[in-house]
Amino acid sequence: MRTAAALASLLTCAALLGAAPADRGALPGRMADTGGGSQLITAVAPTTGATTGTLTWWDLRDGRWTRAGSAPARFGAGGLTEGGTRRQGTDTTPTGLYDLPYAFGIKEAPPGTTYPYRPVRQNSWWCQDNDSRAYNRWSEPRAADCRATEAEHLISYGTQYAHALVIGFNYRQPVRGRGAGIFLHVDGRGATAGCVSVPAEAMRRVLTWVTPARRPHIAVGTADGATAITRY
């Protein structure tokens, strides 16, 4: 049993060391990387074959990750797959750790939103054409070399894209054939084509929570195995 003097010594040492390290008990504290910011979204499925799971958003304050909110999540109809080897057209959600370039929506940004927010207009498209210079980019109007059959007319998805966040999968330096247009958006009727989706109210809450200065990221993965979220 520790004596009172020993406990006092330990407390003194802790004070000299400064802030405590990130809490290893919460999920972000057990991850290999959280992106370096103080906000993180985790999207976890039980297995790679699952199409449902849980989205949780977290705050890092005083060295401790705390849960800010949680909601049921949906994934691709083809389940989840490692982002670095994903192939376009497989309806799989890419696992990994990604930044969140900006938000967008058909509806106005929820009151209190501070994240960069792009309104969807009649001529707003997301190009998924592997032969286009606009591959995996917002295109307004649609680029001449981006075929309409290989692009999403954003305003056509009134439910899903009422509010959304761009997930930075294959975004900074796009690899052709790996996939385009991966978002966090509002639920549709069922599983997604590779995005992550949540109920409308949860999406609004996330948009009013994310703060640019806190460098939010999203981590997508499974509970365990080769694509375990703790590996990212």
Side-chain angles (χ1 to χ4, degrees):
M1 180 180 295
R2 290 192 176 103
T3 65
L7 287 173
S9 178
L10 286 171
L11 289 172
T12 301
C13 289
L16 291 172
L17 289 171
D23 181 13
R24 298 289 296 176
L27 175 58
R30 292 183 276 114
M31 291 173 56
D33 189 5
T34 57
S38 59
Q39 287 185 325
L40 180 70
I41 300 171
T42 56
V44 185
T47 65
T48 54
T51 59
T52 60
T54 303
L55 189 95
T56 307
W57 47 107
W58 306 83
D59 287 308
L60 177 63
R61 299 186 188 278
D62 299 323
R64 184 176 295 275
W65 286 102
T66 58
R67 190 175 73 168
S70 186
R74 296 176 181 173
F75 300 99
L80 294 82
T81 192
E82 170 60 47
T85 56
R86 182 185 185 269
R87 301 303 301 168
Q88 188 164 322
T90 56
D91 288 345
T92 51
T93 297
T95 61
L97 177 68
Y98 307 105
D99 65 353
L100 299 162
Y102 58 90
F104 68 91
I106 295 171
K107 294 184 177 180
E108 292 185 358
T113 300
T114 61
Y115 217 68
Y117 191 87
R118 191 164 187 174
V120 173
R121 310 180 197 279
Q122 185 61 41
N123 62 344
S124 303
W125 296 74
W126 194 278
C127 184
Q128 300 178 354
D129 191 334
N130 282 284
D131 297 325
S132 174
R133 289 173 294 178
Y135 178 69
N136 202 20
R137 287 291 183 273
W138 182 294
S139 186
E140 188 177 310
R142 178 172 51 84
D145 67 347
C146 182
R147 293 167 290 175
T149 55
E150 297 295 324
E152 281 193 346
H153 191 201
L154 298 177
I155 205 165
S156 299
Y157 297 85
T159 298
Q160 294 93 324
Y161 297 157
H163 296 117
L165 271 165
V166 176
I167 294 176
F169 165 74
N170 200 32
Y171 187 77
R172 300 300 173 187
Q173 295 180 316
V175 176
R176 311 291 168 143
R178 184 153 293 168
I182 301 298
F183 312 128
L184 171 61
H185 63 67
V186 177
D187 283 339
R189 294 183 177 180
T192 73
C195 295
V196 180
S197 73
V198 292
E201 177 57 26
M203 192 68 234
R204 288 191 291 269
R205 289 172 60 197
V206 168
L207 284 182
T208 58
W209 166 80
V210 286
T211 305
R214 298 183 64 193
R215 295 182 294 156
H217 286 69
I218 185 170
V220 183
T222 51
D224 52 29
T227 53
I229 197 165
T230 51
R231 293 171 59 95
Y232 301 112

Coordinates of all heavy atoms in Angstrom, one line a residue, residues 24-94:
R24 N -6.2 7.0 -23.0 CA -6.1 5.7 -23.7 C -7.4 4.9 -23.6 O -7.6 4.0 -24.4 CB -4.9 4.9 -23.2 CG -3.6 5.6 -23.4 CD -3.1 5.7 -24.8 NE -2.9 4.4 -25.4 CZ -2.6 4.2 -26.7 NH1 -2.4 5.2 -27.5 NH2 -2.4 3.0 -27.2
G25 N -8.3 5.3 -22.7 CA -9.5 4.5 -22.6 C -10.5 4.8 -23.7 O -11.1 3.8 -24.2
A26 N -10.7 6.0 -24.1 CA -11.6 6.3 -25.2 C -11.0 5.9 -26.5 O -9.8 5.8 -26.7 CB -11.8 7.9 -25.2
L27 N -11.9 5.6 -27.5 CA -11.4 5.0 -28.8 C -10.3 5.9 -29.4 O -9.3 5.3 -29.9 CB -12.6 4.9 -29.7 CG -12.3 4.4 -31.2 CD1 -11.6 3.1 -31.2 CD2 -13.6 4.4 -32.0
P28 N -10.4 7.2 -29.5 CA -9.3 7.9 -30.2 C -8.0 7.8 -29.5 O -6.9 7.8 -30.2 CB -9.8 9.4 -30.1 CG -11.3 9.3 -30.0 CD -11.6 8.1 -29.2
G29 N -8.0 7.6 -28.2 CA -6.8 7.4 -27.5 C -6.1 6.1 -27.7 O -4.9 5.9 -27.4
R30 N -6.8 5.1 -28.3 CA -6.2 3.8 -28.7 C -5.9 3.7 -30.2 O -5.4 2.7 -30.6 CB -7.3 2.7 -28.3 CG -7.5 2.6 -26.8 CD -8.4 1.4 -26.5 NE -9.8 1.9 -26.6 CZ -10.7 1.4 -27.4 NH1 -10.3 0.5 -28.4 NH2 -12.0 1.8 -27.4
M31 N -6.1 4.8 -30.9 CA -5.8 4.8 -32.3 C -4.3 5.2 -32.6 O -3.7 5.9 -31.8 CB -6.7 5.8 -33.1 CG -8.1 5.3 -33.1 SD -9.3 6.5 -33.8 CE -8.6 6.8 -35.4
A32 N -3.8 4.7 -33.7 CA -2.4 5.0 -34.1 C -2.2 6.4 -34.5 O -1.2 7.0 -34.2 CB -2.0 4.1 -35.3
D33 N -3.3 7.1 -35.0 CA -3.2 8.5 -35.4 C -4.6 9.0 -35.4 O -5.6 8.3 -35.8 CB -2.6 8.6 -36.8 CG -2.3 10.0 -37.2 OD1 -2.4 10.9 -36.4 OD2 -1.8 10.2 -38.4
T34 N -4.7 10.3 -35.0 CA -6.0 11.0 -35.1 C -6.0 12.2 -35.9 O -7.0 13.0 -35.9 CB -6.5 11.3 -33.6 OG1 -5.4 12.2 -33.0 CG2 -6.7 10.1 -32.8
G35 N -4.9 12.4 -36.6 CA -4.9 13.6 -37.6 C -4.2 14.8 -37.0 O -4.0 15.8 -37.7
G36 N -3.9 14.8 -35.7 CA -3.2 15.9 -35.1 C -4.1 17.1 -34.6 O -3.6 18.0 -34.1
G37 N -5.4 17.0 -34.9 CA -6.3 18.0 -34.4 C -6.9 17.7 -33.1 O -6.6 16.7 -32.4
S38 N -7.9 18.5 -32.7 CA -8.6 18.3 -31.4 C -10.1 17.9 -31.6 O -10.9 17.9 -30.7 CB -8.5 19.5 -30.5 OG -9.0 20.7 -31.1
Q39 N -10.5 17.6 -32.9 CA -11.8 17.0 -33.2 C -11.6 15.8 -34.0 O -10.8 15.8 -35.0 CB -12.7 18.0 -33.9 CG -13.2 19.1 -33.0 CD -14.2 20.0 -33.7 OE1 -14.1 20.3 -34.9 NE2 -15.2 20.5 -33.0
L40 N -12.4 14.7 -33.8 CA -12.3 13.5 -34.6 C -13.6 12.9 -34.7 O -14.4 12.8 -33.7 CB -11.3 12.5 -33.9 CG -11.1 11.2 -34.6 CD1 -10.4 11.4 -35.9 CD2 -10.4 10.2 -33.8
I41 N -13.9 12.4 -35.9 CA -15.2 11.6 -36.1 C -14.7 10.2 -36.4 O -13.8 9.9 -37.1 CB -15.9 12.1 -37.3 CG1 -16.4 13.6 -37.1 CG2 -17.2 11.2 -37.6 CD1 -16.9 14.2 -38.4
T42 N -15.3 9.2 -35.7 CA -15.0 7.8 -35.9 C -16.3 7.1 -36.5 O -17.4 7.4 -36.0 CB -14.6 7.1 -34.6 OG1 -15.6 7.2 -33.6 CG2 -13.3 7.6 -34.2
A43 N -16.1 6.3 -37.5 CA -17.2 5.6 -38.1 C -16.8 4.1 -38.1 O -15.8 3.7 -38.8 CB -17.4 6.1 -39.6
V44 N -17.4 3.3 -37.3 CA -17.0 2.0 -37.0 C -18.1 1.0 -37.4 O -19.3 1.1 -37.0 CB -16.7 1.8 -35.5 CG1 -16.1 0.4 -35.2 CG2 -15.7 2.8 -35.0
A45 N -17.7 0.0 -38.2 CA -18.6 -1.1 -38.5 C -18.1 -2.4 -37.8 O -16.9 -2.5 -37.5 CB -18.6 -1.4 -40.0
P46 N -19.0 -3.3 -37.5 CA -18.5 -4.6 -36.8 C -17.5 -5.4 -37.7 O -16.6 -6.0 -37.1 CB -19.8 -5.3 -36.5 CG -20.8 -4.7 -37.4 CD -20.4 -3.3 -37.7
T47 N -17.8 -5.5 -39.0 CA -17.0 -6.3 -39.9 C -16.9 -5.6 -41.2 O -17.7 -4.7 -41.5 CB -17.5 -7.7 -40.1 OG1 -18.8 -7.6 -40.8 CG2 -17.7 -8.4 -38.8
T48 N -16.0 -6.1 -42.1 CA -15.9 -5.4 -43.5 C -17.2 -5.7 -44.3 O -17.5 -5.0 -45.3 CB -14.7 -6.0 -44.2 OG1 -14.7 -7.4 -44.3 CG2 -13.4 -5.5 -43.6
G49 N -17.9 -6.8 -44.0 CA -19.1 -7.1 -44.7 C -20.4 -6.3 -44.2 O -21.4 -6.4 -44.9
A50 N -20.2 -5.6 -43.2 CA -21.4 -4.9 -42.6 C -21.7 -3.6 -43.4 O -20.9 -3.0 -44.1 CB -21.1 -4.5 -41.2
T51 N -23.0 -3.3 -43.4 CA -23.4 -2.0 -44.0 C -24.0 -1.0 -43.0 O -24.4 0.1 -43.4 CB -24.5 -2.3 -45.0 OG1 -25.7 -2.9 -44.4 CG2 -24.0 -3.2 -46.2
T52 N -23.9 -1.4 -41.7 CA -24.3 -0.4 -40.6 C -23.3 -0.4 -39.5 O -22.5 -1.4 -39.4 CB -25.7 -0.8 -40.1 OG1 -25.6 -2.1 -39.5 CG2 -26.8 -0.8 -41.1
G53 N -23.3 0.6 -38.7 CA -22.4 0.7 -37.6 C -22.7 2.0 -36.8 O -23.9 2.4 -36.7
T54 N -21.7 2.6 -36.3 CA -21.9 3.8 -35.4 C -20.9 4.9 -35.8 O -19.7 4.7 -36.0 CB -21.6 3.4 -34.0 OG1 -22.5 2.3 -33.6 CG2 -21.9 4.5 -33.0
L55 N -21.4 6.1 -35.8 CA -20.6 7.3 -36.0 C -20.6 8.0 -34.7 O -21.6 8.2 -34.0 CB -21.2 8.2 -37.1 CG -20.4 9.4 -37.5 CD1 -19.5 9.0 -38.7 CD2 -21.2 10.6 -37.8
T56 N -19.4 8.4 -34.3 CA -19.2 9.1 -33.0 C -18.3 10.3 -33.3 O -17.3 10.2 -34.0 CB -18.6 8.2 -31.9 OG1 -19.4 7.0 -31.8 CG2 -18.5 8.9 -30.6
W57 N -18.6 11.5 -32.7 CA -17.7 12.6 -32.8 C -17.2 13.0 -31.4 O -17.8 12.9 -30.4 CB -18.3 13.8 -33.5 CG -19.7 14.2 -33.1 CD1 -20.1 15.3 -32.5 CD2 -21.0 13.6 -33.5 NE1 -21.4 15.5 -32.4 CE2 -22.0 14.4 -33.0 CE3 -21.3 12.4 -34.2 CZ2 -23.4 14.1 -33.1 CZ3 -22.7 12.1 -34.3 CH2 -23.7 12.9 -33.8
W58 N -15.8 13.3 -31.4 CA -15.1 13.4 -30.2 C -14.3 14.8 -30.1 O -13.9 15.3 -31.1 CB -14.0 12.3 -30.1 CG -14.5 10.9 -30.3 CD1 -14.7 10.3 -31.5 CD2 -14.7 10.0 -29.3 NE1 -15.1 9.0 -31.3 CE2 -15.1 8.8 -29.9 CE3 -14.6 10.0 -27.9 CZ2 -15.4 7.6 -29.2 CZ3 -14.9 8.9 -27.2 CH2 -15.3 7.7 -27.8
D59 N -14.2 15.3 -28.9 CA -13.4 16.4 -28.6 C -12.2 16.1 -27.8 O -12.3 15.3 -26.8 CB -14.2 17.5 -27.8 CG -15.3 18.1 -28.6 OD1 -15.0 18.7 -29.7 OD2 -16.5 18.1 -28.2
L60 N -11.1 16.7 -28.1 CA -9.9 16.5 -27.2 C -9.7 17.8 -26.4 O -9.4 18.9 -27.0 CB -8.6 16.3 -28.1 CG -7.3 16.2 -27.4 CD1 -7.3 15.0 -26.5 CD2 -6.1 16.1 -28.4
R61 N -9.8 17.7 -25.1 CA -9.7 18.9 -24.2 C -8.8 18.4 -23.0 O -9.1 17.4 -22.4 CB -11.0 19.4 -23.8 CG -11.9 19.9 -25.0 CD -13.2 20.6 -24.4 NE -14.1 20.9 -25.5 CZ -14.0 21.9 -26.3 NH1 -13.0 22.8 -26.1 NH2 -14.9 22.2 -27.3
D62 N -7.8 19.2 -22.8 CA -6.9 19.0 -21.6 C -6.4 17.5 -21.7 O -6.3 16.8 -20.6 CB -7.7 19.2 -20.3 CG -8.1 20.6 -20.1 OD1 -7.4 21.5 -20.6 OD2 -9.3 20.8 -19.6
G63 N -6.0 17.1 -22.9 CA -5.4 15.8 -23.0 C -6.3 14.6 -23.0 O -5.9 13.5 -22.9
R64 N -7.6 14.9 -22.9 CA -8.6 13.8 -22.8 C -9.7 13.8 -23.9 O -10.3 14.9 -24.2 CB -9.3 13.9 -21.4 CG -10.3 12.7 -21.1 CD -10.8 12.8 -19.7 NE -9.8 12.7 -18.7 CZ -9.3 11.5 -18.3 NH1 -9.9 10.4 -18.7 NH2 -8.4 11.4 -17.4
W65 N -9.9 12.7 -24.6 CA -10.9 12.6 -25.6 C -12.3 12.3 -24.9 O -12.4 11.4 -24.1 CB -10.6 11.5 -26.6 CG -9.5 11.8 -27.6 CD1 -8.2 11.4 -27.5 CD2 -9.6 12.6 -28.7 NE1 -7.5 11.8 -28.6 CE2 -8.3 12.6 -29.3 CE3 -10.6 13.3 -29.3 CZ2 -8.0 13.3 -30.5 CZ3 -10.4 14.0 -30.5 CH2 -9.1 14.0 -31.1
T66 N -13.2 13.1 -25.2 CA -14.6 12.9 -24.7 C -15.6 12.9 -25.9 O -15.4 13.6 -26.9 CB -15.0 14.0 -23.7 OG1 -14.9 15.3 -24.4 CG2 -14.1 14.0 -22.5
R67 N -16.6 12.1 -25.7 CA -17.6 11.9 -26.8 C -18.5 13.1 -26.8 O -19.1 13.5 -25.8 CB -18.4 10.6 -26.5 CG -19.3 10.3 -27.7 CD -20.0 9.0 -27.5 NE -21.1 9.1 -26.5 CZ -22.0 8.2 -26.2 NH1 -22.0 7.0 -26.9 NH2 -22.9 8.4 -25.3
A68 N -18.7 13.7 -28.0 CA -19.5 14.9 -28.1 C -20.9 14.5 -28.6 O -21.9 15.2 -28.5 CB -18.9 15.9 -29.1
G69 N -21.0 13.3 -29.3 CA -22.3 12.9 -29.9 C -22.1 11.5 -30.6 O -20.9 11.1 -30.9
S70 N -23.2 10.9 -30.9 CA -23.1 9.6 -31.5 C -24.4 9.3 -32.3 O -25.5 9.9 -31.9 CB -22.9 8.5 -30.5 OG -22.7 7.2 -31.1
A71 N -24.3 8.5 -33.4 CA -25.5 8.2 -34.2 C -25.3 6.9 -35.0 O -24.2 6.6 -35.2 CB -25.8 9.4 -35.2
P72 N -26.4 6.3 -35.3 CA -26.2 5.1 -36.2 C -25.7 5.5 -37.5 O -26.1 6.6 -38.0 CB -27.7 4.5 -36.3 CG -28.6 5.7 -35.9 CD -27.8 6.5 -34.9
A73 N -24.9 4.7 -38.1 CA -24.3 5.0 -39.4 C -24.6 3.9 -40.4 O -24.8 2.8 -40.1 CB -22.8 5.2 -39.3
R74 N -24.6 4.3 -41.7 CA -24.7 3.3 -42.8 C -23.4 3.4 -43.7 O -22.8 4.5 -43.8 CB -25.9 3.6 -43.7 CG -27.2 3.4 -42.9 CD -28.4 3.8 -43.8 NE -29.7 3.7 -43.1 CZ -30.8 4.1 -43.6 NH1 -30.9 4.7 -44.8 NH2 -31.9 4.0 -42.9
F75 N -23.0 2.3 -44.3 CA -21.8 2.2 -45.1 C -22.2 1.7 -46.5 O -23.4 1.6 -46.8 CB -20.8 1.3 -44.5 CG -20.3 1.8 -43.1 CD1 -20.9 1.3 -41.9 CD2 -19.4 2.8 -43.0 CE1 -20.5 1.7 -40.7 CE2 -19.0 3.3 -41.7 CZ -19.5 2.7 -40.6
G76 N -21.2 1.5 -47.3 CA -21.5 1.0 -48.7 C -22.2 -0.3 -48.8 O -22.1 -1.2 -47.9
A77 N -23.0 -0.5 -49.8 CA -23.7 -1.7 -50.1 C -22.7 -2.9 -50.2 O -23.1 -4.0 -49.9 CB -24.5 -1.6 -51.3
G78 N -21.5 -2.6 -50.6 CA -20.5 -3.7 -50.7 C -19.6 -3.8 -49.4 O -18.6 -4.5 -49.4
G79 N -20.0 -3.1 -48.4 CA -19.3 -3.2 -47.1 C -18.1 -2.2 -47.1 O -18.2 -1.1 -47.7
L80 N -17.0 -2.6 -46.4 CA -15.9 -1.7 -46.2 C -14.6 -2.4 -46.8 O -14.6 -3.6 -46.8 CB -15.6 -1.3 -44.8 CG -16.7 -0.5 -44.0 CD1 -17.9 -1.3 -43.6 CD2 -16.1 0.3 -42.9
T81 N -13.7 -1.6 -47.2 CA -12.4 -2.1 -47.8 C -11.3 -1.1 -47.5 O -11.6 0.1 -47.3 CB -12.6 -2.4 -49.3 OG1 -11.4 -3.2 -49.7 CG2 -12.6 -1.2 -50.1
E82 N -10.1 -1.6 -47.4 CA -8.9 -0.8 -47.2 C -8.9 0.3 -48.3 O -8.9 0.0 -49.5 CB -7.7 -1.6 -47.3 CG -6.4 -0.9 -47.3 CD -6.2 0.0 -46.1 OE1 -6.4 -0.5 -45.0 OE2 -5.8 1.2 -46.3
G83 N -8.8 1.6 -47.8 CA -8.8 2.7 -48.7 C -7.7 2.7 -49.8 O -7.9 3.1 -50.9
G84 N -6.5 2.3 -49.4 CA -5.4 2.3 -50.3 C -5.5 1.4 -51.5 O -4.7 1.5 -52.4
T85 N -6.4 0.4 -51.4 CA -6.5 -0.6 -52.5 C -7.9 -0.7 -53.0 O -8.2 -1.5 -53.8 CB -6.1 -2.0 -52.0 OG1 -6.8 -2.4 -50.9 CG2 -4.6 -2.0 -51.6
R86 N -8.8 0.3 -52.6 CA -10.1 0.3 -53.1 C -10.2 0.5 -54.6 O -9.4 1.2 -55.2 CB -10.9 1.4 -52.4 CG -12.4 1.5 -52.7 CD -13.1 2.7 -52.1 NE -14.5 2.7 -52.3 CZ -15.1 3.3 -53.4 NH1 -14.3 4.0 -54.2 NH2 -16.4 3.3 -53.5
R87 N -11.3 -0.1 -55.2 CA -11.5 0.1 -56.6 C -12.8 0.8 -56.8 O -13.8 0.5 -56.2 CB -11.5 -1.2 -57.4 CG -10.2 -2.0 -57.3 CD -9.0 -1.2 -57.8 NE -9.1 -0.8 -59.1 CZ -8.3 0.1 -59.7 NH1 -7.3 0.7 -59.0 NH2 -8.5 0.5 -61.0
Q88 N -12.9 1.7 -57.8 CA -14.1 2.5 -58.1 C -15.2 1.5 -58.6 O -14.9 0.6 -59.3 CB -13.8 3.5 -59.1 CG -14.9 4.5 -59.4 CD -14.5 5.7 -60.1 OE1 -13.4 6.2 -59.8 NE2 -15.3 6.2 -61.1
G89 N -16.4 1.8 -58.2 CA -17.5 1.0 -58.7 C -17.8 -0.2 -57.9 O -18.7 -1.0 -58.3
T90 N -17.2 -0.4 -56.7 CA -17.4 -1.6 -55.9 C -18.4 -1.3 -54.8 O -18.8 -2.2 -54.1 CB -16.1 -2.0 -55.3 OG1 -15.5 -0.9 -54.5 CG2 -15.1 -2.5 -56.3
D91 N -18.9 -0.1 -54.7 CA -19.9 0.3 -53.6 C -19.4 0.0 -52.2 O -20.1 -0.4 -51.3 CB -21.2 -0.5 -53.8 CG -22.0 0.1 -55.0 OD1 -21.7 1.2 -55.5 OD2 -23.0 -0.6 -55.5
T92 N -18.0 0.1 -52.1 CA -17.4 -0.1 -50.8 C -17.0 1.2 -50.1 O -16.6 2.1 -50.8 CB -16.2 -1.0 -50.9 OG1 -15.3 -0.5 -51.9 CG2 -16.6 -2.4 -51.3
T93 N -17.1 1.3 -48.8 CA -16.6 2.4 -48.1 C -15.2 2.3 -47.8 O -14.8 1.3 -47.2 CB -17.5 2.6 -46.8 OG1 -18.8 2.8 -47.1 CG2 -16.9 3.8 -46.0
P94 N -14.3 3.2 -48.1 CA -12.9 3.1 -47.9 C -12.5 3.3 -46.4 O -13.0 4.3 -45.8 CB -12.3 4.2 -48.8 CG -13.4 5.2 -48.9 CD -14.7 4.5 -48.9

